[in-house]
Amino acid sequence: MADVIVVGGGIIGLTAALRLRERGADVTVWTPAGPEQTVSAVAAAVWYPTRTGYDPRLLDWARATYDQFYRHAFERVPGVLIRETRNLERDGSTGEPWWAPAARGVRYLPIDRPWTREVRFRAPLVEMTAYLPWLRQQFVAAGGRVVRRRIDRLEEALVEAPTVVNATGLAAGALCGDPDVIPARGQIVRVANPGIIVSVRDQDEPSTYIHPRSRDVVLGGTWQENSWNTTPDPATRDAILQRCIALVPELAGAPIVGEEAGLRPVRRGGPRVEAEKWPGGTVVHAYGHGGAGMTLCWGCADEVAALAL
């Protein structure tokens, strides 16, 4: 019998599982699919608290996660890069963004209209198709277990462990009766990288982002709440390409190498990370991170481990 069962094998579940194992717990991860089939694998996975408001707890998580990925980059962990980033703002803000204390060397530059300010900083970027398998391997090498299993009720896990971490993303809405959990559809286009090394993010609606990875560039995006459609839309693809090329003309003519649509696990009111007593034991909820799962994962994992043990 495990000490803890983590239900969910995306970035939130795997980071929590590894932190729990590092603290000496006997941990099993239950996941219905491999890491390459999670929504985490579709994500652009760049450090930035997308559509997340200020909360001191989230700032702590963002800082811890930023620092952890910087260490990973220094250690040459597969898939982890650091990119200079340009945020092009349109709302006339003059103060420091709430997330800035978690990042390194944030600078503020003037810019021509229609933008009102350029915010520059260095941000971790993670190629999830390389990083998630590495993370899972680290967990298993540390003595953790991964079991392919789909569940219909969290009580199924409580039968086999006194503590369960609910890192089920969108499925948490049904599993624990949370009506605030909704999908936010995101569509991306991947093109061959013509030599771009700087990320760009435009604050306009819909937001536009350009994130260069080692071999391709992730272009986006969309934010369509309550849409469950995971089929890429050609018109949306064309609009993304048009907006991105307008921002970075070097992208013109870059061949498309892939396109995906995924569902961000949004929770109205923000992420739910708390321990709850159930008849069969303790459930530590860790879901609802929306588009900021990668940005908050390691700090969130530290809190999950503290709550669970």
Side-chain angles (χ1 to χ4, degrees), residues 273-290:
V273 179
E274 62 181 2
E276 183 179 32
K277 290 296 182 183
W278 283 40
T282 300
V283 175
V284 178
H285 298 288
Y287 65 86
H289 298 75

Side-chain angles (χ1 to χ4, degrees), residues 57-302:
R57 183 178 62 163
L58 299 188
L59 179 58
D60 288 343
W61 295 350
R63 181 185 289 111
T65 304
Y66 188 101
D67 291 345
Q68 179 65 73
F69 279 124
Y70 244 88
R71 289 191 292 270
H72 280 341
F74 179 78
E75 296 161 355
R76 298 187 180 277
V77 168
V80 181
L81 306 169
I82 303 296
R83 291 295 192 220
E84 182 74 12
T85 301
R86 303 173 61 215
N87 270 16
L88 310 181
E89 296 185 347
R90 294 173 179 257
D91 63 1
S93 296
T94 57
E96 180 181 73
W98 70 264
W99 50 264
R104 300 192 183 188
V106 179
R107 293 102 66 204
Y108 307 95
L109 305 174
I111 192 170
D112 293 335
R113 297 179 62 184
W115 302 286
T116 57
R117 181 173 70 167
E118 179 177 329
V119 180
R120 284 217 174 201
F121 59 102
R122 291 171 62 79
L125 179 154
V126 177
E127 298 179 349
M128 285 293 188
T129 53
Y131 184 74
L132 287 174
W134 174 87
L135 186 58
R136 176 171 167 160
Q137 181 182 28
Q138 294 298 112
F139 171 65
V140 172
R145 294 177 299 276
V146 179
V147 175
R148 286 286 187 98
R149 180 163 174 175
R150 184 182 300 275
I151 67 171
D152 298 314
R153 300 166 67 244
L154 290 173
E155 288 87 345
E156 296 174 41
L158 285 169
V159 170
E160 300 190 30
T163 302
V164 170
V165 174
N166 173 22
T168 56
L170 274 178
L175 285 170
C176 56
D178 189 340
D180 289 321
V181 177
I182 60 171
R185 181 182 183 275
Q187 181 168 328
I188 62 167
V189 183
R190 292 184 293 108
V191 300
N193 193 340
I196 295 169
I197 59 172
V198 176
S199 283
V200 182
R201 185 182 292 106
D202 188 345
Q203 194 185 54
D204 200 9
E205 192 63 49
S207 64
T208 301
Y209 54 80
I210 298 153
H211 296 310
R213 306 196 297 186
S214 55
R215 297 182 180 179
D216 60 12
V217 186
V218 178
L219 310 178
T222 62
W223 185 279
Q224 298 166 328
E225 293 189 359
N226 291 306
S227 172
W228 293 87
N229 180 16
T230 57
T231 301
D233 172 62
T236 301
R237 175 198 61 211
D238 293 344
I240 288 171
L241 287 169
Q242 183 178 15
R243 300 198 313 267
C244 290
I245 291 169
L247 281 176
V248 180
E250 295 91 332
L251 291 168
I256 295 173
V257 297
E259 53 183 318
E260 292 90 26
L263 306 179
R264 305 175 183 93
V266 171
R267 181 175 183 270
R268 290 184 289 250
R272 184 185 184 191
V273 179
E274 62 181 2
E276 183 179 32
K277 290 296 182 183
W278 283 40
T282 300
V283 175
V284 178
H285 298 288
Y287 65 86
H289 298 75
M294 174 271 189
T295 303
L296 304 173
C297 62
W298 283 108
C300 179
D302 290 333

Side-chain angles (χ1 to χ4, degrees), residues 4-26:
V4 183
I5 291 176
V6 176
V7 185
I11 190 68
I12 297 299
L14 286 176
T15 52
L18 185 55
R19 283 293 190 252
L20 285 160
R21 184 69 198 113
E22 289 170 349
R23 291 188 177 210
D26 187 314

